């Protein structure tokens, strides 16, 4: 197939923040870039966004402008989970307990003044879920993506793509921390190999929905 005819898929992660060290989503973006041959049915491009309310929006918008994607999926870290979480809704609220990497703390603030309270992902979550389960990759559904940068960029993206024609599917996926970051012996998280395998499955399942 001519590469020019392949759908363009934009994948985003975040830089490290706070006391967590490496961000699993940034590590995943590097793994994807090193293994683009695993995505023969798409032209995959990755971007890593700053954990910064203002810069993240600008970087996201610039990436969309530069790549003209047919599908966009964002990934981020959720420290407390041990499996992949498929986010159903983005909420119009910034209400974090931690500041972003520039020291900005947003609590009880609307992302878009007067905007819709909640926006639903446009990714085919049931198909993604089944694809991951069939490969024995731990996965759960989640009804909201928190109230920090992950939810912020999720809501921003859904708003941005709400009036595109044709629709550009967009959604957010939360990832557990890296194995090397988990010190509690009782926790079992995904290996980097499993995370890459999951990303391939998520992209492939999402691609099948294009044009539906």
């Amino acid at each position: 197939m001519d590469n020019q005819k392949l759908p363009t898929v934009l994948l985003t992660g975040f830089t490290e923040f706070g006391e967590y060290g490496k961000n699993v989503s940034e590590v995943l973006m590097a793994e994807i870039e090193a293994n683009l041959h695993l995505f023969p049915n798409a032209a995959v491009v990755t971007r890593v966004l700053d954990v910064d309310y203002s810069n993240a929006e600008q970087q996201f918008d610039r990436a969309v402008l530069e790549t003209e994607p047919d599908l966009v999926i964002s990934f981020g870290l959720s420290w407390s989970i041990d499996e992949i979480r498929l986010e159903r809704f983005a909420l119009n609220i910034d209400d974090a307990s931690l500041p972003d990497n520039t020291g900005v703390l947003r609590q009880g603030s609307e992302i878009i003044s007067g905007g819709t309270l909640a926006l639903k992902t446009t990714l085919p979550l049931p198909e993604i879920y089944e694809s991951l389960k069939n490969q024995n990759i731990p996965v759960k559904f989640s009804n909201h993506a928190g109230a920090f940068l992950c939810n912020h960029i999720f809501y921003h993206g859904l708003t941005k793509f709400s009036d595109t024609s044709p629709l550009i599917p967009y959604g957010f996926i939360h990832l557990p921390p890296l194995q090397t970051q988990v010190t509690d012996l009782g926790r079992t998280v995904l290996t980097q190999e499993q995370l890459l395998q999951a990303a391939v499955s998520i992209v492939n399942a999402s691609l099948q929905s294009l044009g539906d």
Side-chain angles (χ1 to χ4, degrees), residues 6 35 37 62 67 86 89 96 158 165 176 189 194 201 206 211:
L6 292 176
N35 292 278
H37 63 280
R62 188 180 311 119
T67 63
L86 308 179
F89 297 97
L158 286 173
S165 182
V189 296
Q194 286 177 307
S201 294
S206 299

Side-chain angles (χ1 to χ4, degrees), residues 3 9 14 22 54 68 81 92 117 152:
N3 284 345
V9 179
F14 284 104
K22 284 187 177 180
S54 179
E68 299 182 344
I81 66 175
N92 187 22
L117 176 61
H152 184 97

Side-chain angles (χ1 to χ4, degrees), residues 112-203:
I112 296 178
S113 180
T116 304
L117 176 61
L119 297 174
K120 187 177 181 179
T121 184
T122 49
L123 293 181
L125 294 193
E127 289 81 359
I128 292 172
Y129 180 89
E130 287 302 320
S131 178
L132 294 173
K133 290 293 285 186
N134 288 340
Q135 297 181 70
N136 296 315
I137 296 174
V139 57
K140 291 181 180 179
F141 292 107
S142 171
N143 287 325
H144 67 88
F148 192 39
L149 259 295
C150 292
N151 175 74
H152 184 97
I153 207 67
F154 188 15
Y155 190 89
H156 174 77
L158 286 173
T159 301
K160 182 177 183 65
F161 299 132
S162 63
D163 59 355
T164 58
S165 182
L167 173 72
I168 298 175
Y170 175 63
F172 197 95
I173 311 291
H174 260 129
L175 306 173
L178 298 165
Q179 277 191 326
T180 54
Q181 295 173 310
V182 178
T183 56
D184 297 334
L185 295 179
R187 292 189 65 179
T188 302
V189 296
L190 281 70
T191 65
Q192 285 186 218
E193 182 180 17
Q194 286 177 307
L195 288 169
L196 180 59
Q197 180 185 0
V200 172
S201 294
I202 290 166
V203 168

Side-chain angles (χ1 to χ4, degrees), residues 22-65:
K22 284 187 177 180
N23 191 316
V24 61
S25 64
E26 182 175 14
V27 173
L28 179 59
M29 293 305 105
E31 286 286 315
I32 290 169
E33 285 288 344
N35 292 278
L36 291 176
H37 63 280
L38 297 178
F39 302 87
N41 299 317
V44 173
V45 292
T46 68
R47 294 290 188 274
V48 177
L49 311 178
D50 292 335
V51 180
D52 171 334
Y53 289 106
S54 179
N55 277 354
E57 285 190 7
Q58 294 174 20
Q59 291 165 343
F60 185 90
D61 292 349
R62 188 180 311 119
V64 171
L65 183 64

